[in-house]
Amino acid sequence: MENVSVPKSFHPFSTEHGWAILTGAAILTALILLGKKGGRCRQFATGTLAFVSLAAYPLGQAAWLSLDADKSLDNLLPLHLCDIAAITGGFALLLRKPLLASLTYFWGLAATMQGLLTPAITVGFPTWPFIMFFVHHFVIVGTALYLPIVEGWRPKQPFWKSPLEVYGWSLGYLAFAMIVNRILGTNFGFASHRPPNPSLIDYLGPWPWYLVSMSVIALILYLLLALPFAGKRAGK
């Protein structure tokens, strides 16, 4: 029989998890600082974030296909919220559309940040899926920070307007994910069951009540994320 190597399992809050967080944070800090310098440095930083954001899904697919493991539709279709947030982030940097920037900012810091802290991944370093998981999630968070810090994006005023707008899009995504999950037997948005790894969802009650809890927490986080911009006019 052919000897097929089994990828090392990933364990949240392990040493490799910590190193992934530190490495990603250092790279994002460097890109933001480059962006703040302006000129060609800013062009490089913006272009890098936009390219990685838009390439995250296809590169992630290539990474998963490199493993000799079961391929599920959950990993093959770009319908997780983080897949969509990466796309909105890339186009927000290229097109400078306020709605795309709003979606990226609130989704990135309220949702994708949770994915970095409690990753829904089963394979560890040095597999390509492990690397691309953190690249994918860090580029969303990085873009969410880059838009207000470097690009001058600001939420609409009054401060609660953009959070409510993004909340409406979030509820629309949740409804869409539940329909797709029902048809395909998938778990996009974790709307059908909890992720396999420990996460905040474990403390929000059984299905479907944890979806209600998630929706309430999302609205609270959106409002809190908008508070630092209260009374500030939109930038570029």
Side-chain angles (χ1 to χ4, degrees):
M1 292 180 61
E2 182 181 358
N3 185 20
V4 178
S5 60
V6 178
K8 186 177 74 171
S9 297
F10 172 77
H11 299 285
F13 315 116
S14 60
T15 301
E16 66 178 354
H17 185 190
W19 276 113
I21 295 295
L22 289 174
T23 302
I27 293 172
L28 292 186
T29 300
L31 286 172
I32 291 173
L33 291 176
L34 279 175
K36 291 289 287 181
K37 291 182 70 174
R40 291 186 177 180
C41 290
R42 178 171 173 174
Q43 291 178 358
F44 172 80
T46 304
T48 299
L49 283 172
F51 172 79
V52 177
S53 292
L54 296 176
Y57 170 70
L59 290 177
Q61 290 307 294
W64 278 109
L65 292 173
S66 71
L67 285 185
D68 185 15
D70 292 335
K71 310 299 189 298
S72 66
L73 289 175
D74 295 72
N75 291 327
L76 296 178
L77 298 178
L79 297 180
H80 283 291
L81 186 61
C82 290
D83 295 325
I84 298 171
I87 295 170
T88 64
F91 281 112
L93 290 169
L94 295 175
L95 303 178
R96 311 290 179 87
K97 297 293 184 182
L99 175 59
L100 296 177
S102 294
L103 293 172
T104 305
Y105 175 76
F106 290 106
W107 283 349
L109 298 186
T112 304
M113 187 75 77
Q114 300 299 319
L116 288 172
L117 297 176
T118 56
I121 189 172
T122 56
V123 294
F125 185 81
T127 61
W128 279 110
F130 172 91
I131 295 170
M132 280 310 305
F133 177 91
F134 283 97
V135 169
H136 188 161
H137 287 68
F138 262 114
V139 78
I140 298 169
V141 173
T143 302
L145 294 171
Y146 191 91
L147 286 165
I149 294 173
V150 178
E151 296 293 323
W153 167 85
R154 297 291 183 267
K156 296 177 181 177
Q157 295 299 326
F159 85 95
W160 45 262
K161 193 169 183 179
S162 287
L164 290 183
E165 182 180 41
V166 174
Y167 187 65
W169 282 91
S170 302
L171 293 179
Y173 166 77
L174 179 60
F176 170 76
M178 293 180 73
I179 293 171
V180 172
N181 291 342
R182 181 75 173 179
I183 296 172
L184 300 180
T186 48
N187 190 30
F188 294 115
F190 305 119
S192 295
H193 55 80
R194 298 183 181 92
N197 287 358
S199 70
L200 175 65
I201 298 175
D202 296 337
Y203 303 96
L204 301 182
W207 187 93
W209 299 111
Y210 73 75
L211 297 178
V212 177
S213 300
M214 285 171 57
S215 298
V216 173
I217 292 173
L219 179 58
I220 293 171
L221 289 176
Y222 291 169
L223 291 169
L224 290 175
L225 287 168
L227 272 178
F229 303 100
K232 296 182 180 180
R233 300 179 61 185
K236 303 173 214 177

